Amino acid sequence: IDRVGGPDAIADVLRRCGLSDHERELRDENCWFSWQTKIALFEATAQVLSNPDFLVGMATMALDLKVAGGLKVALRTLGSPQVVYRSIVRANTRFNGSHAMELVDISRCQARIRFVDLSGERRFHHLDCEYSAVMLRIVPELFGLPRAQLTHLQCVGDGADSCVYELRWREHVSAGRPALA
């Protein structure tokens, strides 16, 4: 928000969410906040920036920011997008207390991931669904590859019990390892 709209945009987003006195906690990656707060922040940001597709830009910027730098380095050391997708289920539990990610299937350059509400209430918001999809798509960029292609196979917004994403990406070739033909 700061990069796109500056301090006034941040103040406006926080005001719209009733969080004007909580900027410090929201900037602290060690502080947690509710799913409802996340949704309020997403909605307010879309309004203030007048851009319903702001999450795509936010995900791109996330790779450049110093936030969660240790996490990004750890992900890169895993070696490939496939390994990151295998690990994403465990990582999600550390950063998301409201929804779980389950690895349904994975192969060398394809994965199917299920995103389900832990409360059993099928909480859904299109921006939360889009956020999950965009963050999954950028994983290959950690390795200098193009974003994964994502197909949203089923969605809670359409009445399904969970969202299911299918991802396809180009193969990652580690330094010193020949590409498979």
Side-chain angles (χ1 to χ4, degrees):
I1 298 168
D2 194 27
R3 284 187 180 185
V4 175
D8 290 342
I10 291 173
D12 194 9
V13 166
L14 296 177
R15 182 188 52 73
R16 288 172 187 248
C17 297
L19 297 169
S20 295
D21 295 332
H22 299 278
E23 183 176 350
R24 175 179 277 174
E25 296 100 283
L26 291 168
R27 287 185 182 270
D28 183 348
E29 40 184 298
N30 294 311
C31 287
W32 290 81
F33 49 90
S34 70
W35 181 82
Q36 292 82 0
T37 298
K38 175 173 74 170
I39 297 306
L41 288 164
F42 282 171
E43 288 177 334
T45 301
Q47 292 168 359
V48 169
L49 298 181
S50 300
N51 180 1
D53 296 326
F54 75 96
L55 290 169
V56 174
M58 186 175 89
T60 302
M61 284 185 210
L63 291 179
D64 297 331
L65 295 174
K66 292 185 170 120
V67 174
L71 174 63
K72 288 185 280 190
V73 168
L75 290 174
R76 283 186 192 109
T77 62
L78 289 173
S80 71
Q82 181 191 39
V83 178
V84 173
Y85 287 124
R86 284 187 187 278
S87 303
I88 213 152
V89 174
R90 264 180 284 123
N92 183 72
T93 61
R94 300 185 85 190
F95 297 101
N96 189 342
S98 64
H99 289 73
M101 283 198 173
E102 301 169 359
L103 183 62
V104 176
D105 186 44
I106 192 158
S107 63
R108 189 178 52 183
C109 295
Q110 180 179 338
R112 187 170 290 175
I113 295 174
R114 182 173 177 252
F115 189 63
V116 62
D117 180 5
L118 293 172
S119 74
E121 298 173 18
R122 292 190 194 179
R123 289 178 295 183
F124 171 81
H125 193 281
H126 70 96
L127 290 173
D128 192 33
C129 187
E130 183 181 335
Y131 176 72
S132 297
V134 168
M135 294 307 285
L136 288 168
R137 285 189 63 220
I138 68 170
V139 166
E141 289 185 12
L142 291 166
F143 302 93
L145 299 171
R147 284 188 182 163
Q149 293 182 353
L150 183 136
T151 304
H152 201 157
L153 298 175
Q154 70 181 43
C155 185
V156 174
D158 296 330
D161 65 343
S162 63
C163 289
V164 176
Y165 307 104
E166 184 172 85
L167 298 134
R168 294 177 186 271
W169 62 93
R170 203 173 80 206
E171 183 176 9
H172 173 67
V173 179
S174 298
R177 185 179 132 211
L180 297 175

